[in-house]
């Protein structure tokens, strides 16, 4: 079992920085959210939103949402 402290530490990893490390760059800013083409699906319209302040994402193509752990999983 992974200690809770380790899980909380992992959750602090920035989704924006993680995507950048994969070569995924934002398409635009939409208010307080950063918009990307989905790193998980091939799409023509950017529908992957990251809320940097909350460090969460919502992929409108797949319906997935969550934190960095959900994204990497």
């Amino acid at each position: 079992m992974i200690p809770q402290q380790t899980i909380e530490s992992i959750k602090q990893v920035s989704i924006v920085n993680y995507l950048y490390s994969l070569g995924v760059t934002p398409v635009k800013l939409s208010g307080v959210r950063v918009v990307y083409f989905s790193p998980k699906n091939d799409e023509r319209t950017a529908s992957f939103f990251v809320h940097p302040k909350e460090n969460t994402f919502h992929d409108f193509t797949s319906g997935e949402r969550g934190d960095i752990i959900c994204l990497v999983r």
Side-chain angles (χ1 to χ4, degrees):
M1 182 175 219
I2 300 172
Q4 188 63 33
Q5 183 179 5
T6 302
I7 292 171
E8 292 306 318
S9 178
I10 292 169
K11 287 183 178 183
Q12 298 306 309
V13 173
S14 166
I15 292 174
V16 171
N17 290 343
Y18 172 70
L19 292 171
Y20 182 77
S21 77
L22 298 177
V24 179
T25 56
V27 175
K28 66 179 177 178
L29 295 176
S30 176
V32 295
R33 297 176 295 180
V34 184
V35 184
Y36 298 84
F37 287 106
S38 176
K40 296 182 170 198
N41 302 298
D42 188 28
E43 60 186 10
R44 291 183 176 195
T45 303
S47 66
F48 188 89
F49 290 76
V50 174
H51 193 288
K53 187 174 180 183
E54 295 177 5
N55 202 32
T56 58
F57 76 93
H58 185 179
D59 186 343
F60 284 90
T61 300
S62 68
E64 275 187 273
R65 59 174 59 210
D67 58 22
I68 186 74
I69 295 172
C70 294
L71 178 58
V72 174
R73 192 172 2 142

